[in-house]
Amino acid sequence: GSDRALTGLVAPASVVAASRAAKFFVADTARRTYRYQPDGSILRAMDLPAPVPPSGIAMTADGNRIWTVSPDHRVSVYEAASGLPLGSWLAGEGTQAEGVAVYGSDVWLVDAQTDRSEWYPFAANRTSGSLAPDRVFALQASNANPTGIATN
């Protein structure tokens, strides 16, 4: 394929692959997400009503729900088609979240300040309150300043 410029972005924070009509989503520091088609053309831009710009973005395999995380560990949940917020919750560990991943009902965060990964089982449906991670994993010493996380 050919390279295409990602128009409309202000300091992209994170990219996540999607299914259905959208090929991928990008969150940026201007509190917006952009939905792109497989050819790189934009489908839609959505404003995020988050008080802090996101530093990471994840979505379900079916493309119905989006999660963003901000450096202050706020995990926000959105309905993907409309962009409507479903709620948010505060992850109870870390100091500078830089990435979020969702696998089934589990949420994973990575923290750039502590160089740790945090596992929140059964948190994918959470839309309020706060939650401590079930497990925290120290990253390999050479894996300093992590900025993203993915699961399989």
Side-chain angles (χ1 to χ4, degrees), residues 35 44 46 64-66 77-86:
R35 182 185 296 211
R44 181 172 171 211
M46 295 184 303
N64 290 327
R65 189 171 277 196
I66 298 171
V77 186
Y78 302 90
E79 198 278 324
S82 67
L84 291 174
L86 300 174

Side-chain angles (χ1 to χ4, degrees), residues 1-2 7 9 22 24 28 30-31 37 56-58 60 62 65 70-71 86-87 95-96 118 122 129 135 138 142 146:
S2 63
T7 59
L9 294 178
F24 59 94
D28 74 17
R31 294 184 183 92
Q37 295 182 28
I57 185 171
T60 54
D62 63 10
R65 189 171 277 196
S70 56
L86 300 174
T95 56
Q96 187 180 341
E118 305 158 12
F122 309 109
R135 304 240 354 238
S142 61

Side-chain angles (χ1 to χ4, degrees), residues 43-82:
L43 276 171
R44 181 172 171 211
M46 295 184 303
D47 290 323
L48 299 173
V52 178
S55 54
I57 185 171
M59 73 178 345
T60 54
D62 63 10
N64 290 327
R65 189 171 277 196
I66 298 171
W67 291 261
T68 62
V69 67
S70 56
D72 64 357
H73 272 70
R74 170 102 13 224
V75 177
S76 298
V77 186
Y78 302 90
E79 198 278 324
S82 67

